Amino acid sequence: MRVLVVEDDENLRVAIAGSLRAAGFAVDAVGDLPAADEALSVNSYDCAVFDRMLPAGDALSYVQTRRPAVPVLFLTARDAVADRIAGLDTGDDYLVKPFAVEELAARVRRLCRRVASGLPPVLRCGDLEVDGGRHEVRRAGVLLTLTAKEFDVLRHLVARQRQPVHRSELIREVWDPLVDPASNVLDVVITQLRRKLRNPPMIHTVRGYGYRIEPA
């Protein structure tokens, strides 16, 4: 799940981005609306978190005008009923400062799952079932216990089943984009997934490229 954070206060921006990354999200963080506009034009996000009042104007007006194709959560110190209604009518959620970072992460996760990149709620590959709404995985009817990263990698592979998926794509979609594609974080997750999915194997290495999943 990839999130864009737009916050002009540098300390708060760093804190929010760090908290969301710790919660398992890949995060891009910018400080103003022009940078947000550029990021939204070149990247695909599952959710965008906007501070309401930014140097270039009110993020509410920006969202009303540009209609970004991504769920939007507004952060603001403005807690009047009219402000809350305007935020909910324009965006998808509205959180008043100060807030608990755990609540922010939960709200962002809910918005990301609502969209789930346009995928159906339940994906199937042979006897494997990946339920994005419940965040559950079953093989041959048996519930598996996966970490958040394992779930996200598996869901991405199943969404593209029978097709090779480049390792850099998996790292970009599941981890922070600053993670080095040569890092072994993906390989560790793939090893764990293969162990938990058991035999017959479903995840195959595409040498020099990445991985592919197909029915056993």
Side-chain angles (χ1 to χ4, degrees):
M1 298 178 184
R2 191 174 184 183
V3 180
L4 175 66
V5 173
V6 189
E7 168 61 63
D8 63 319
D9 184 307
E10 183 177 2
N11 290 334
L12 186 55
R13 181 171 68 249
V14 170
I16 291 172
S19 297
L20 290 176
R21 286 173 182 142
F25 298 96
V27 181
D28 292 342
V30 298
D32 54 35
L33 288 175
D37 198 49
E38 180 179 1
L40 287 166
S41 68
V42 300
N43 298 310
S44 176
Y45 295 102
D46 297 291
C47 180
V49 178
F50 280 87
D51 179 29
R52 175 79 187 268
M53 303 310 299
L54 294 162
D58 188 342
L60 196 77
S61 299
Y62 169 83
V63 173
Q64 286 175 329
T65 302
R66 297 303 299 267
R67 298 292 179 186
V70 59
V72 171
L73 184 151
F74 290 111
L75 298 177
T76 181
R78 302 171 64 169
D79 61 354
V81 173
D83 290 320
R84 292 172 181 265
I85 292 173
L88 291 170
D89 283 345
T90 301
D92 300 273
D93 205 349
Y94 194 91
L95 187 58
V96 176
K97 300 176 182 178
F99 53 84
V101 293
E102 295 85 358
E103 180 180 1
L104 173 62
R107 288 173 180 259
V108 169
R109 186 175 295 109
R110 179 181 61 83
L111 293 178
C112 289
R113 288 177 181 171
R114 181 195 299 178
V115 176
S117 303
L119 297 175
V122 179
L123 298 174
R124 292 181 174 83
C125 179
D127 62 355
L128 181 68
E129 179 181 286
V130 181
D131 189 326
R134 295 174 178 267
H135 220 65
E136 293 179 347
V137 174
R138 286 178 168 79
R139 184 164 192 194
V142 177
L143 181 65
L144 308 181
T145 302
L146 304 185
T147 67
K149 295 297 188 190
E150 290 165 359
F151 181 90
D152 291 341
V153 168
L154 182 63
R155 191 164 190 261
H156 198 81
L157 286 171
V158 173
R160 302 269 301 279
Q161 59 187 281
R162 301 180 187 274
Q163 302 176 38
V165 182
H166 199 279
R167 61 181 294 113
S168 64
E169 177 182 338
L170 287 166
I171 290 175
R172 183 179 67 248
E173 293 298 326
V174 177
W175 282 270
D176 188 283
L178 297 179
V179 172
D180 184 352
S183 167
N184 73 336
V185 291
L186 174 60
D187 307 281
V188 171
V189 167
I190 291 292
T191 298
Q192 292 300 317
L193 280 173
R194 284 171 167 160
R195 180 180 63 81
K196 292 180 179 181
L197 291 176
R198 304 183 306 277
N199 289 322
M202 300 182 70
I203 299 176
H204 306 279
T205 299
V206 181
R207 190 174 299 278
Y209 191 85
Y211 299 96
R212 180 185 71 252
I213 192 168
E214 57 187 29

